Amino acid sequence: MKNLKRRKFADKAAHWTITFGGAATVFIILVFFVFIFLEVYPLLKGAKVLKQSTHPLNGEVVSIGVDEQQEIAYSAYKDGDIEFISLSNGHAFKRHHITGLNDSAIASIDNDNNHLVLGTNNGSILKISIDFSESFDKGERTVLPEISEEESVLIDDEKKGIDYITSRGGDTTKVTVAHTEDGRLILKSTETRSTLFGVEERKETKKDITSITAQYSLNQFIPPNSSPSQEGGVGKLKPGTTLAIHNPTNLTEQRNKLEITSLVLDHCMENLYVGTSSGEIFHINIKDKENPFLQEKIKVSNKTVTALCFLLGDVSLIVGDGGGGVNVWMQVRDEKSSSGWFLKKIHTLKSHNAPVLAIAPSKRDKGFVTAASNGTIHLNHATSEQTLLNLETKSIPTAVTFSPKADGILIADSNSKLVQWNISNPHPETSLKTLFGRAWYEGYEKPEFVWQSSGGTDDFEPKLCLIPLIFGTIKGTIYSMIIAVPIGILAALYTSQFLHKTLKTIKPLIEIMAALPSVILGFLAGLWLAPLVERIFPALVIMPFLIILSIATAFYLWKLLPTRLKGRYGYGVETLFLIPFIVGAVYAATQLNVISESLLFGGDYREWLSNILGLKYDQRNAAVVGFTMGFAVIPLIFTISEDAMSNVPHNLVSASLALGATSWQTAIRVVLPTASPGIFSAVMIGFGRAVGETMIVLMATGNTPIMDWNLFNGFRALAANIAVEIPESPVGGTLYRVLFMAALLLFITTFIINTLAEIVRQKMRRRYSKL
């Protein structure tokens, strides 16, 4: 009775222990899934407004700005005053009058990161810098605005008002381009150089470049066959040619016909873009300030070009038009173009359905804010082609700015109101398109799948497409399974059905291979195997043929041996007779390495692969990874497959042999089908091992995220990418969460594959259990 109670208690204890263990396993897996998903979920959320506030202004505003912490904003008024406003309470605590204006008024303004360049109504320009400094007193931080003015400079000798102005400056060079109210385009540059004796030399250049924009427009009404010598006109001109105006009257008429509506200059001070009322953009090359020329003219819209602005980095040009269209253009390489480049539209954003009045780029990423005459404000991101926020005001915006940390938008409107939106927009560059589709990145000739998470400059455009990593994972898995599956299954078949019992101690030795750390295998593959393969590649090409020949020779000689001699050894020991022949074939192939390279590859196999097959050979490539990772997967497939084949009922094998089937026929037609559920499980476990492999892929490949099935170049897998980049990624940042998304993809993929594999295994088990 006591023994019965003990057994019942032991049964219940075992039952609940196993149940608890299984439930705990499932719970832990769910916890891992929930944790990973919670890290990924913020990528799926868009931008949102945290707070909106409105503050009064005291006049007609032409430009606004804000400090990094969004504590102080400034507004520049048309009458020449600059007012500083505390955004915490809306009070104006400081007002500064621009002394350099004298009796003139502001006619146009260019705001480059709080460096204001003012164009006046009497043809002068004035540069003002606004800085924000911080001071600490008894632990309290105070932000103090500072203003500095430069002397007013006359840019137009005729003292006409400046309608549009753009200016950029560096340590030694400053360039300003102004469009006057009578239609002239003036370029002014100042360059300071130091001589060998430390004396500074200042060189100023002022040039009227109106004729550059006029030359193409004049061609619209000049007969094609007219000659430059004909009175009152010019002939057809090519880009970059100098225009000689023979009739000033025509030029004046053309100025009135061609209305310039916007200007923008890049920070290199080499490229000037001019927008017109006809929807065209003139690209003027001003690298040589004394000899600028028209590099390109392109039609960008059927409406007036109302706003031009560069994104961070000055590669992408934002174009806003009179119909509300917002597009991003970029210089793309073109061999047919005389300059080798041409302007091409690469991104289209949501339309305002009203003329775009202002554009404010982000100082942190490829985002920007656009404002239109109907009061709509859009927060956009160029790379992901998303309009992240749609905001509205009750009146017409007159100025807009994007906070330095890209966490706030401020606009001044025609009702003398300053509207501020505090926003949360942590991951603007991610969307389904940028994560899993082709995106058109700066510097690329077409949309592509690209992974490049970091760069050497602050204006770098993150490229976070997961497709190259998924491709690399599939590529490495396929190449490793091509090696591991046939070797593992055939070795298991031979070991279970043909190998002599005294030699079956080889199975524990193969199982020990599975205990080798993958970091050791990766180390050997990267530092020993990859250079070896590179050195003896021609020998590896002829090696399979020599091995097959050696095996055939060994079989032939084995048959020639007397039966009495072969009978001394047990069945299955002939493998030992085969080994010396295979070793000899490998040795012969290595000795023929130089000869085979000369005969098969013309003396240089790298050049042959490149010229004949178009394949580039890298030392650390997919072939090396496939072999090494296959070596790591073989023990798993071999062990499970061998157990499945050894557990096939002996009565089935005996019955097959009794019916006259050979051992080989029995192994193929009876043992393999019966053991197929176990073999299938072995393959799936090996597949999961290959998919999740990290260190071998990390150390034995070039770790380059490229999409190419070439056996001789590298790749980057999801798991290896996580190992490489997660230590460098800021916690909570976009890269950090995208890496967790890669982990989530691996998790889900493994779960789905294992589930399907179990379903297939159960079906195969029911099918072959009736044998």
Side-chain angles (χ1 to χ4, degrees), residues 508-552:
L509 295 178
I510 295 178
E511 290 175 344
I512 290 176
M513 290 167 51
L516 287 174
S518 60
V519 66
I520 300 299
L521 295 177
F523 176 81
L524 293 175
L527 298 183
W528 172 74
L529 182 61
L532 178 64
V533 170
E534 183 183 31
R535 189 168 59 252
I536 65 168
F537 178 81
L540 295 176
V541 174
I542 65 172
M543 192 177 292
F545 302 99
L546 294 181
I547 290 176
I548 293 173
L549 180 62
S550 67
I551 292 174

Side-chain angles (χ1 to χ4, degrees), residues 56-60 75-85 92-98 145 147:
L57 297 173
N58 298 307
E60 184 179 350
S75 57
Y77 296 102
K78 194 169 184 179
D79 60 5
D81 284 350
I82 297 179
E83 187 177 58
F84 292 92
I85 303 167
F93 63 91
K94 182 178 181 180
R95 194 176 183 96
H96 172 85
H97 183 73
I98 304 172
I147 300 178

